[in-house]
Amino acid sequence: AKARGGNCLHFYSQQMFDHFQNRLALENELKHALAQQQFAIHLQPKIMLDTQRLQGFEVLLRWQSPSRGMVPPDEFISILEYARLMIPVGYWVIEQSFLAMQQLQHAGYADITIAINLSAEQLMDKGLPSYLDTLLQQYHLQASNFELELTESLLAQNIQDTITTMHQLKAMGFLFAIDDFGTGYSSLSYLRQMPVDTIKIDKSFVFGMLDNQADFDIITSTIAMVKKLGLAVVAEGVETQAQCRMLKAHQCDIAQGYLFSKPVAASQLLAHLQANLDE
Ligand code: C2E
Ligand code: CA
Ligand code: CA
Ligand code: CA
Protein backbone atom coordinates (compact mmCIF):
# COMPACT_ATOMS: atom_id res chain seq x y z
CA ALA A 1 0.00 0.00 0.00
CA LYS A 2 2.89 2.28 0.85
CA ALA A 3 4.56 1.75 -2.52
CA ARG A 4 1.27 2.31 -4.29
CA GLY A 5 0.74 5.55 -2.40
CA GLY A 6 4.20 6.62 -3.41
CA ASN A 7 3.42 5.91 -7.05
CA CYS A 8 0.20 7.85 -6.88
CA LEU A 9 1.94 10.79 -5.35
CA HIS A 10 4.62 10.63 -8.00
CA PHE A 11 1.99 10.35 -10.74
CA TYR A 12 0.08 13.39 -9.51
CA SER A 13 3.16 15.52 -8.99
CA GLN A 14 4.37 14.68 -12.49
CA GLN A 15 0.97 15.77 -13.80
CA MET A 16 1.07 18.95 -11.79
CA PHE A 17 4.59 19.62 -13.00
CA ASP A 18 3.50 19.16 -16.64
CA HIS A 19 0.51 21.41 -16.08
CA PHE A 20 2.76 24.07 -14.54
CA GLN A 21 5.26 23.75 -17.39
CA ASN A 22 2.50 24.14 -19.94
CA ARG A 23 1.12 27.23 -18.21
CA LEU A 24 4.58 28.78 -18.15
CA ALA A 25 5.04 28.00 -21.85
CA LEU A 26 1.63 29.49 -22.66
CA GLU A 27 2.44 32.58 -20.65
CA ASN A 28 5.73 33.07 -22.50
CA GLU A 29 4.05 32.61 -25.88
CA LEU A 30 1.24 34.99 -24.95
CA LYS A 31 3.76 37.71 -24.06
CA HIS A 32 4.66 37.99 -27.74
CA ALA A 33 1.29 37.20 -29.26
CA LEU A 34 0.05 40.79 -29.45
CA ALA A 35 3.21 42.16 -31.08
CA GLN A 36 3.28 39.21 -33.47
CA GLN A 37 -0.33 39.81 -34.52
CA GLN A 38 -1.53 36.39 -33.45
CA PHE A 39 -4.79 37.70 -32.01
CA ALA A 40 -7.98 38.24 -33.97
CA ILE A 41 -11.50 39.20 -33.11
CA HIS A 42 -14.48 37.20 -34.29
CA LEU A 43 -18.02 38.57 -34.20
CA GLN A 44 -21.18 36.60 -33.53
CA PRO A 45 -24.55 38.00 -34.66
CA LYS A 46 -27.40 38.65 -32.23
CA ILE A 47 -30.88 38.43 -33.73
CA MET A 48 -34.08 40.21 -32.64
CA LEU A 49 -36.67 37.47 -32.20
CA ASP A 50 -39.74 39.55 -33.13
CA THR A 51 -38.41 40.71 -36.52
CA GLN A 52 -35.61 38.16 -37.16
CA ARG A 53 -33.37 41.13 -37.94
CA LEU A 54 -29.76 41.70 -36.93
CA GLN A 55 -29.47 43.53 -33.59
CA GLY A 56 -25.69 43.52 -33.37
CA PHE A 57 -22.68 41.36 -32.57
CA GLU A 58 -20.64 40.07 -29.67
CA VAL A 59 -16.88 40.35 -30.06
CA LEU A 60 -14.94 37.19 -29.14
CA LEU A 61 -11.17 37.06 -28.88
CA ARG A 62 -9.23 34.40 -30.79
CA TRP A 63 -5.58 33.38 -30.49
CA GLN A 64 -3.98 31.79 -33.51
CA SER A 65 -0.81 30.27 -32.05
CA PRO A 66 1.86 29.29 -34.59
CA SER A 67 2.63 26.09 -32.66
CA ARG A 68 -0.75 25.20 -31.12
CA GLY A 69 -3.23 26.38 -33.73
CA MET A 70 -6.44 28.12 -32.69
CA VAL A 71 -6.54 28.19 -28.89
CA PRO A 72 -10.01 28.77 -27.34
CA PRO A 73 -10.32 31.80 -25.02
CA ASP A 74 -11.25 29.68 -22.00
CA GLU A 75 -7.71 28.25 -22.21
CA PHE A 76 -5.80 31.52 -22.39
CA ILE A 77 -7.84 34.41 -20.92
CA SER A 78 -7.13 33.37 -17.33
CA ILE A 79 -3.41 33.26 -18.21
CA LEU A 80 -3.60 36.72 -19.78
CA GLU A 81 -5.18 37.94 -16.54
CA TYR A 82 -2.62 36.17 -14.35
CA ALA A 83 0.28 37.54 -16.45
CA ARG A 84 -1.21 41.07 -16.38
CA LEU A 85 -1.56 40.99 -20.16
CA MET A 86 -5.36 41.32 -20.22
CA ILE A 87 -5.26 45.12 -20.06
CA PRO A 88 -3.15 45.66 -23.20
CA VAL A 89 -4.86 42.81 -25.07
CA GLY A 90 -8.23 44.14 -23.90
CA TYR A 91 -7.40 47.60 -25.24
CA TRP A 92 -6.49 46.01 -28.55
CA VAL A 93 -9.85 44.15 -28.59
CA ILE A 94 -11.68 47.41 -27.91
CA GLU A 95 -9.92 49.24 -30.75
CA GLN A 96 -10.58 46.35 -33.17
CA SER A 97 -14.25 46.50 -32.14
CA PHE A 98 -14.37 50.21 -32.96
CA LEU A 99 -12.76 49.50 -36.31
CA ALA A 100 -15.33 46.79 -37.04
CA MET A 101 -18.16 49.15 -36.08
CA GLN A 102 -16.81 51.83 -38.38
CA GLN A 103 -16.67 49.37 -41.27
CA LEU A 104 -20.19 48.13 -40.55
CA GLN A 105 -21.53 51.68 -40.50
CA HIS A 106 -19.82 52.46 -43.80
CA ALA A 107 -21.50 49.35 -45.22
CA GLY A 108 -24.90 50.70 -44.14
CA TYR A 109 -25.45 48.91 -40.83
CA ALA A 110 -26.36 52.01 -38.83
CA ASP A 111 -28.39 50.93 -35.82
CA ILE A 112 -26.48 47.94 -34.54
CA THR A 113 -24.55 47.48 -31.31
CA ILE A 114 -21.28 45.71 -30.71
CA ALA A 115 -20.87 43.97 -27.36
CA ILE A 116 -17.40 43.79 -25.83
CA ASN A 117 -16.47 41.49 -22.93
CA LEU A 118 -14.60 43.26 -20.13
CA SER A 119 -12.60 41.51 -17.42
CA ALA A 120 -12.46 42.82 -13.83
CA GLU A 121 -9.04 44.41 -14.15
CA GLN A 122 -10.02 46.15 -17.38
CA LEU A 123 -13.01 47.74 -15.68
CA MET A 124 -10.82 48.75 -12.72
CA ASP A 125 -8.19 50.32 -14.99
CA LYS A 126 -8.22 54.06 -14.40
CA GLY A 127 -7.39 54.77 -18.03
CA LEU A 128 -10.47 53.02 -19.46
CA PRO A 129 -12.91 55.98 -19.73
CA SER A 130 -10.37 58.27 -21.40
CA TYR A 131 -9.23 55.48 -23.74
CA LEU A 132 -12.84 54.92 -24.83
CA ASP A 133 -13.39 58.66 -25.21
CA THR A 134 -10.32 58.99 -27.46
CA LEU A 135 -11.53 56.12 -29.66
CA LEU A 136 -15.04 57.60 -29.96
CA GLN A 137 -13.52 60.79 -31.38
CA GLN A 138 -10.96 59.04 -33.54
CA TYR A 139 -13.52 56.71 -35.18
CA HIS A 140 -16.47 59.16 -35.11
CA LEU A 141 -18.73 56.70 -33.34
CA GLN A 142 -21.46 56.95 -30.70
CA ALA A 143 -20.97 55.29 -27.31
CA SER A 144 -24.53 53.96 -27.58
CA ASN A 145 -23.33 51.66 -30.38
CA PHE A 146 -21.33 49.71 -27.78
CA GLU A 147 -22.44 47.41 -24.99
CA LEU A 148 -19.97 46.38 -22.30
CA GLU A 149 -20.49 42.83 -21.01
CA LEU A 150 -19.63 42.17 -17.38
CA THR A 151 -19.92 38.85 -15.57
CA GLU A 152 -21.65 38.39 -12.25
CA SER A 153 -18.42 37.21 -10.62
CA LEU A 154 -16.71 40.42 -11.70
CA LEU A 155 -19.49 42.40 -10.06
CA ALA A 156 -18.87 40.71 -6.72
CA GLN A 157 -15.42 42.33 -6.45
CA ASN A 158 -14.79 45.99 -5.52
CA ILE A 159 -18.47 46.63 -5.73
CA GLN A 160 -18.40 50.36 -4.94
CA ASP A 161 -15.58 51.12 -7.42
CA THR A 162 -17.36 49.04 -10.05
CA ILE A 163 -20.60 50.96 -9.61
CA THR A 164 -18.78 54.31 -9.80
CA THR A 165 -16.97 53.35 -13.03
CA MET A 166 -20.17 51.96 -14.54
CA HIS A 167 -22.03 55.21 -13.88
CA GLN A 168 -19.16 57.19 -15.41
CA LEU A 169 -19.23 55.07 -18.60
CA LYS A 170 -23.03 55.11 -18.64
CA ALA A 171 -22.94 58.93 -18.55
CA MET A 172 -20.74 58.78 -21.66
CA GLY A 173 -23.48 56.75 -23.35
CA PHE A 174 -22.16 53.18 -23.16
CA LEU A 175 -24.63 50.34 -22.57
CA PHE A 176 -24.09 47.54 -20.06
CA ALA A 177 -24.97 43.87 -20.16
CA ILE A 178 -24.71 41.30 -17.36
CA ASP A 179 -23.21 38.17 -18.91
CA ASP A 180 -23.67 34.52 -17.91
CA PHE A 181 -26.69 35.53 -15.83
CA GLY A 182 -27.69 32.91 -13.30
CA THR A 183 -24.26 31.27 -12.94
CA GLY A 184 -22.66 33.68 -10.46
CA TYR A 185 -22.97 34.01 -6.71
CA SER A 186 -23.94 37.63 -6.38
CA SER A 187 -27.34 38.86 -5.34
CA LEU A 188 -29.96 40.44 -7.53
CA SER A 189 -29.56 43.72 -5.66
CA TYR A 190 -26.91 44.89 -8.14
CA LEU A 191 -29.66 45.20 -10.72
CA ARG A 192 -31.02 48.09 -8.64
CA GLN A 193 -27.68 49.82 -8.07
CA MET A 194 -26.06 49.40 -11.44
CA PRO A 195 -26.91 51.04 -14.76
CA VAL A 196 -27.66 47.77 -16.56
CA ASP A 197 -29.45 47.67 -19.93
CA THR A 198 -29.34 43.99 -20.85
CA ILE A 199 -29.24 40.59 -19.20
CA LYS A 200 -27.66 37.66 -21.04
CA ILE A 201 -28.99 34.29 -19.94
CA ASP A 202 -26.16 31.78 -19.78
CA LYS A 203 -26.08 29.15 -22.51
CA SER A 204 -26.07 26.29 -20.00
CA PHE A 205 -29.75 27.06 -19.25
CA VAL A 206 -30.60 27.32 -22.95
CA PHE A 207 -28.96 23.94 -23.68
CA GLY A 208 -31.18 22.27 -21.08
CA MET A 209 -34.39 24.22 -21.48
CA LEU A 210 -36.35 21.69 -23.54
CA ASP A 211 -35.33 18.59 -21.57
CA ASN A 212 -35.03 19.91 -18.05
CA GLN A 213 -37.97 21.47 -16.23
CA ALA A 214 -35.74 23.44 -13.83
CA ASP A 215 -33.77 25.03 -16.70
CA PHE A 216 -37.02 25.85 -18.46
CA ASP A 217 -38.48 27.46 -15.32
CA ILE A 218 -35.30 29.44 -14.68
CA ILE A 219 -35.32 30.77 -18.25
CA THR A 220 -38.98 31.74 -18.38
CA SER A 221 -39.00 33.35 -14.94
CA THR A 222 -35.73 35.21 -15.66
CA ILE A 223 -37.19 36.59 -18.88
CA ALA A 224 -40.35 37.70 -17.04
CA MET A 225 -38.36 39.36 -14.24
CA VAL A 226 -35.90 41.07 -16.56
CA LYS A 227 -38.68 42.46 -18.73
CA LYS A 228 -40.56 43.64 -15.67
CA LEU A 229 -37.45 45.62 -14.71
CA GLY A 230 -37.55 47.24 -18.15
CA LEU A 231 -34.33 45.61 -19.36
CA ALA A 232 -33.61 43.70 -22.55
CA VAL A 233 -32.94 39.96 -22.41
CA VAL A 234 -30.58 37.97 -24.63
CA ALA A 235 -30.43 34.18 -24.73
CA GLU A 236 -27.02 32.85 -25.76
CA GLY A 237 -26.16 29.39 -27.06
CA VAL A 238 -29.33 29.03 -29.15
CA GLU A 239 -28.67 26.05 -31.38
CA THR A 240 -32.09 24.76 -32.46
CA GLN A 241 -35.30 26.09 -33.98
CA ALA A 242 -37.22 24.52 -31.10
CA GLN A 243 -35.24 26.55 -28.53
CA CYS A 244 -35.70 29.66 -30.64
CA ARG A 245 -39.49 29.21 -30.90
CA MET A 246 -39.83 28.61 -27.17
CA LEU A 247 -37.72 31.67 -26.30
CA LYS A 248 -39.77 33.81 -28.65
CA ALA A 249 -43.03 32.49 -27.20
CA HIS A 250 -41.82 33.61 -23.75
CA GLN A 251 -40.95 37.13 -24.96
CA CYS A 252 -37.17 36.82 -25.04
CA ASP A 253 -35.93 39.83 -27.05
CA ILE A 254 -32.70 38.67 -28.63
CA ALA A 255 -31.03 35.35 -29.42
CA GLN A 256 -27.43 34.48 -30.19
CA GLY A 257 -26.07 31.09 -31.14
CA TYR A 258 -24.95 28.60 -33.74
CA LEU A 259 -28.53 28.40 -35.10
CA PHE A 260 -27.93 31.81 -36.65
CA SER A 261 -24.16 31.87 -37.00
CA LYS A 262 -20.91 30.89 -35.36
CA PRO A 263 -18.56 33.78 -34.56
CA VAL A 264 -17.14 35.13 -37.84
CA ALA A 265 -13.63 36.59 -38.34
CA ALA A 266 -13.78 40.40 -38.55
CA SER A 267 -11.95 40.22 -41.88
CA GLN A 268 -14.76 38.08 -43.34
CA LEU A 269 -17.69 39.77 -41.65
CA LEU A 270 -19.01 41.95 -44.46
CA ALA A 271 -18.83 39.15 -47.03
CA HIS A 272 -20.53 36.82 -44.55
CA LEU A 273 -23.34 39.31 -43.93
CA GLN A 274 -23.95 39.78 -47.64
CA ALA A 275 -24.12 36.03 -48.18
CA ASN A 276 -26.24 35.10 -45.16
CA LEU A 277 -28.10 37.77 -43.28
CA ASP A 278 -29.24 40.36 -45.81
CA GLU A 279 -32.92 40.38 -46.53
P1 C2E B 1 -19.02 34.34 -23.24
O1 C2E B 1 -18.82 35.80 -23.11
O2 C2E B 1 -20.11 33.71 -22.44
O3 C2E B 1 -19.20 34.09 -24.81
C1 C2E B 1 -20.09 33.17 -25.35
C2 C2E B 1 -19.40 31.89 -25.73
O4 C2E B 1 -20.37 30.97 -26.22
C3 C2E B 1 -18.38 32.07 -26.87
O5 C2E B 1 -17.33 31.15 -26.62
C4 C2E B 1 -19.19 31.64 -28.10
O6 C2E B 1 -18.38 31.22 -29.18
C5 C2E B 1 -19.99 30.51 -27.50
N1 C2E B 1 -21.23 30.23 -28.23
C6 C2E B 1 -22.03 31.11 -28.88
N2 C2E B 1 -23.10 30.50 -29.41
C7 C2E B 1 -22.98 29.19 -29.11
C8 C2E B 1 -23.80 28.02 -29.38
O7 C2E B 1 -24.86 28.09 -30.02
N3 C2E B 1 -23.35 26.84 -28.88
C9 C2E B 1 -22.20 26.73 -28.18
N4 C2E B 1 -21.83 25.51 -27.75
N5 C2E B 1 -21.42 27.81 -27.89
C10 C2E B 1 -21.81 29.01 -28.35
P2 C2E B 1 -15.82 31.54 -26.81
O8 C2E B 1 -15.67 32.41 -28.02
O9 C2E B 1 -15.05 30.27 -26.74
O10 C2E B 1 -15.50 32.44 -25.55
C11 C2E B 1 -15.45 31.88 -24.26
C12 C2E B 1 -15.38 32.95 -23.19
O11 C2E B 1 -14.13 33.66 -23.26
C13 C2E B 1 -16.44 34.03 -23.36
O12 C2E B 1 -17.67 33.55 -22.86
C14 C2E B 1 -15.83 35.14 -22.53
O13 C2E B 1 -16.08 34.95 -21.16
C15 C2E B 1 -14.35 34.97 -22.79
N6 C2E B 1 -13.93 35.95 -23.79
C16 C2E B 1 -13.95 35.86 -25.15
N7 C2E B 1 -13.47 36.99 -25.72
C17 C2E B 1 -13.13 37.83 -24.70
C18 C2E B 1 -12.56 39.15 -24.62
O14 C2E B 1 -12.30 39.81 -25.62
N8 C2E B 1 -12.36 39.65 -23.37
C19 C2E B 1 -12.67 38.97 -22.23
N9 C2E B 1 -12.43 39.55 -21.06
N10 C2E B 1 -13.20 37.74 -22.26
C20 C2E B 1 -13.43 37.17 -23.47
CA1 CA C 1 -20.03 37.55 -23.28
CA1 CA D 1 -22.08 34.51 -21.81
CA1 CA E 1 -19.46 32.24 -20.50
Side-chain angles (χ1 to χ4, degrees):
K2 228 179 193 171
R4 235 185 111 95
N7 278 335
C8 276
L9 191 65
H10 177 74
F11 173 72
Y12 282 117
S13 28
Q14 183 64 44
Q15 246 190 359
M16 279 170 66
F17 181 76
D18 290 346
H19 175 77
F20 183 65
Q21 284 276 67
N22 188 45
R23 269 194 76 103
L24 268 181
L26 274 170
E27 192 180 323
N28 276 320
E29 291 165 39
L30 283 164
K31 277 179 187 151
H32 310 287
L34 192 56
Q36 294 179 357
Q37 303 182 326
Q38 293 166 9
F39 289 116
I41 61 161
H42 286 212
L43 295 100
Q44 187 177 35
K46 295 186 288 169
I47 305 296
M48 290 182 276
L49 285 174
D50 55 351
T51 58
Q52 294 279 109
R53 292 187 71 92
L54 181 70
Q55 186 268 338
F57 299 92
E58 177 178 5
V59 173
L60 295 156
L61 180 60
R62 296 289 178 262
W63 177 32
Q64 183 67 53
S65 155
S67 56
R68 300 166 193 265
M70 189 75 95
V71 185
D74 288 332
E75 287 175 28
F76 70 84
I77 289 208
S78 66
I79 300 174
L80 287 180
E81 283 167 353
Y82 175 79
R84 307 200 151 275
L85 293 165
M86 196 59 232
I87 289 186
V89 174
Y91 278 144
W92 181 85
V93 169
I94 293 170
E95 176 152 22
Q96 295 303 302
S97 307
F98 275 63
L99 202 61
M101 178 57 95
Q102 194 183 51
Q103 288 166 352
L104 284 160
Q105 292 206 342
H106 285 163
Y109 295 91
D111 293 327
I112 56 169
T113 63
I114 285 190
I116 304 170
N117 292 287
L118 288 189
S119 68
E121 45 174 348
Q122 282 182 276
L123 191 67
M124 286 304 117
D125 187 64
K126 291 282 175 276
L128 181 65
S130 63
Y131 182 79
L132 289 167
D133 193 50
T134 305
L135 288 184
L136 287 175
Q137 314 220 9
Q138 191 180 331
Y139 288 92
H140 307 288
L141 295 169
Q142 303 288 318
S144 57
N145 285 127
F146 295 96
E147 190 159 62
L148 306 174
E149 292 194 5
L150 313 175
T151 59
E152 285 180 86
S153 47
L154 178 159
L155 297 177
Q157 313 166 16
N158 302 317
I159 195 112
Q160 280 317 320
D161 288 349
T162 303
I163 292 174
T164 305
T165 306
M166 284 177 78
H167 280 288
Q168 186 182 356
L169 295 172
K170 183 73 196 172
M172 291 168 67
F174 289 100
L175 304 169
F176 280 99
I178 304 299
D179 202 1
D180 300 349
F181 189 79
T183 62
Y185 296 101
S186 43
S187 85
L188 290 171
S189 69
Y190 59 74
L191 289 180
R192 285 191 283 134
Q193 304 169 53
M194 293 177 172
V196 173
D197 303 278
T198 304
I199 298 293
K200 292 190 82 170
I201 299 177
D202 191 65
K203 57 181 179 290
S204 59
F205 300 111
V206 176
F207 292 160
M209 69 179 284
L210 296 178
D211 311 309
N212 181 306
Q213 187 65 38
D215 286 344
F216 181 84
D217 293 342
I218 288 168
I219 289 211
T220 52
S221 53
T222 300
I223 295 171
M225 177 194 69
V226 169
K227 305 226 45 171
K228 198 149 195 177
L229 291 168
L231 311 179
V233 58
V234 179
E236 64 175 28
V238 179
E239 295 186 349
T240 69
Q241 285 290 356
Q243 291 164 344
C244 186
R245 269 196 301 276
M246 193 61 87
L247 288 162
K248 189 179 171 185
H250 286 86
Q251 270 75 52
C252 180
D253 300 300
I254 296 164
Q256 174 185 352
Y258 296 169
L259 175 64
F260 305 104
S261 171
K262 290 201 169 184
V264 180
S267 56
Q268 282 148 38
L269 186 64
L270 290 177
H272 175 85
L273 285 174
Q274 266 156 22
N276 295 286
L277 285 164
D278 276 355
E279 278 106 324

